[in-house]
Amino acid sequence: MSKWLIALIIVTGSVHLATLSLDSELLHWIFKLVPMILIIVLAVSTPKSEAPITYKGLIVTGLVFSIGGDTFLLMPDDEWFTFGLASFLIGHVFYTIAMLKHMKASWLTRLSVIPIVTYSFVLGSQLHGYIIEDSNNSGLWIPVLVYIIVIAAMCWTAIMSGNVLAGIGAALFVVSDSILAWNKFATPVANSGIWIMATYFSAQLLIAASIAGFSFHIRQVSGNVGKARTM
């Protein structure tokens, strides 16, 4: 079932990328939301025995808020952008809480905070100038700043969790949102829609798959501990 779901997610996501240039609101709604619905189904369908129940619940909740954010961003007027931003931000908070419960400290993961903070500071500094200078967007600076801080925290905790799928997914989420923000507030990015959505779908799929990835990691560690005890 998981293989079929992943195949459907890839197919429907690819259709969305292929139809971005078409002036069809119906196609945009269907093929932006259907992949996310399937990703949520993938996350929910992971057997209880395969993942920590709290981690699974928090990730699924984050995915639900994400699809809420997608819905707001599909609205034609920019006034919905703030609602979309808030919905995604809440989703990232749930992702962060999920990762916090499984953080594993090591010198390498601790050092990852340096490039994350540096990148976030540079991006925020650049966006600040563009947003403040634009009277139509100046009121969005504080929400954007909070969002940058939250997604940076989500990315770091995902890396600290030791779950490779979650870590890569979180990093791709940062890439996707960075392109979206730069394209909206700074200067146009060539083929921005394709880059934004390709990295976004990949990020959400990997974060959903991290539920099973976590259980595999736990089983591997448990197995190694068991072997060590019997030696």
Side-chain angles (χ1 to χ4, degrees):
M1 182 178 177
S2 295
K3 291 179 180 178
W4 281 107
L5 275 173
I6 292 172
L8 283 172
I9 291 164
I10 293 172
V11 169
T12 54
S14 298
V15 171
H16 178 66
L17 297 179
T19 57
L20 278 173
S21 60
L22 299 180
D23 186 20
S24 173
E25 187 175 339
L26 179 61
L27 283 178
H28 294 165
W29 273 83
I30 292 174
F31 289 105
K32 185 175 184 181
L33 297 183
V34 167
M36 278 302 299
I37 293 171
L38 293 173
I39 288 172
I40 292 173
V41 172
L42 177 68
V44 171
S45 64
T46 304
K48 290 182 179 180
S49 60
E50 294 293 311
I53 189 64
T54 52
Y55 183 83
K56 179 179 178 179
L58 289 165
I59 293 297
V60 170
T61 304
L63 288 168
V64 170
F65 275 99
S66 291
I67 199 172
D70 285 326
T71 304
F72 284 123
L73 293 184
L74 280 167
M75 299 292 186
D77 300 323
D78 275 349
E79 65 182 275
W80 296 103
F81 179 81
T82 304
F83 292 96
L85 191 70
S87 191
F88 277 117
L89 187 145
I90 295 170
H92 289 317
V93 170
F94 278 101
Y95 290 158
T96 302
I97 295 171
M99 307 303 175
L100 278 171
K101 290 179 172 290
H102 300 278
M103 287 177 67
K104 301 173 183 65
S106 72
W107 68 269
L108 186 60
T109 53
R110 286 194 184 100
L111 284 176
S112 66
V113 73
I114 298 174
I116 292 172
V117 169
T118 302
Y119 176 79
S120 301
F121 177 79
V122 172
L123 177 66
S125 299
Q126 294 295 315
L127 289 176
H128 175 264
Y130 286 105
I131 294 173
I132 293 301
E133 289 175 4
D134 187 343
S135 59
N136 294 323
N137 292 323
S138 58
L140 290 174
W141 166 240
I142 296 301
V144 169
L145 176 61
V146 172
Y147 189 89
I148 291 173
I149 293 171
V150 170
I151 196 171
M154 189 273 288
C155 185
W156 184 61
T157 53
I159 293 172
M160 287 285 288
S161 73
N163 187 319
V164 176
L165 296 178
I168 297 174
L172 285 173
F173 222 133
V174 171
V175 172
S176 179
D177 283 348
S178 296
I179 299 171
L180 188 154
W182 194 263
N183 186 70
K184 180 175 179 60
F185 298 116
T187 56
V189 177
N191 300 314
S192 60
I194 293 176
W195 289 112
I196 291 167
M197 294 311 302
T199 51
Y200 172 71
F201 285 144
S202 299
Q204 296 284 35
L205 176 57
L206 287 170
I207 290 172
S210 73
I211 297 172
F214 238 126
S215 65
F216 175 77
H217 176 75
I218 290 169
R219 289 198 303 273
Q220 289 290 95
V221 172
S222 300
N224 291 337
V225 171
K227 287 179 182 178
R229 287 176 176 172
T230 57
M231 290 177 66

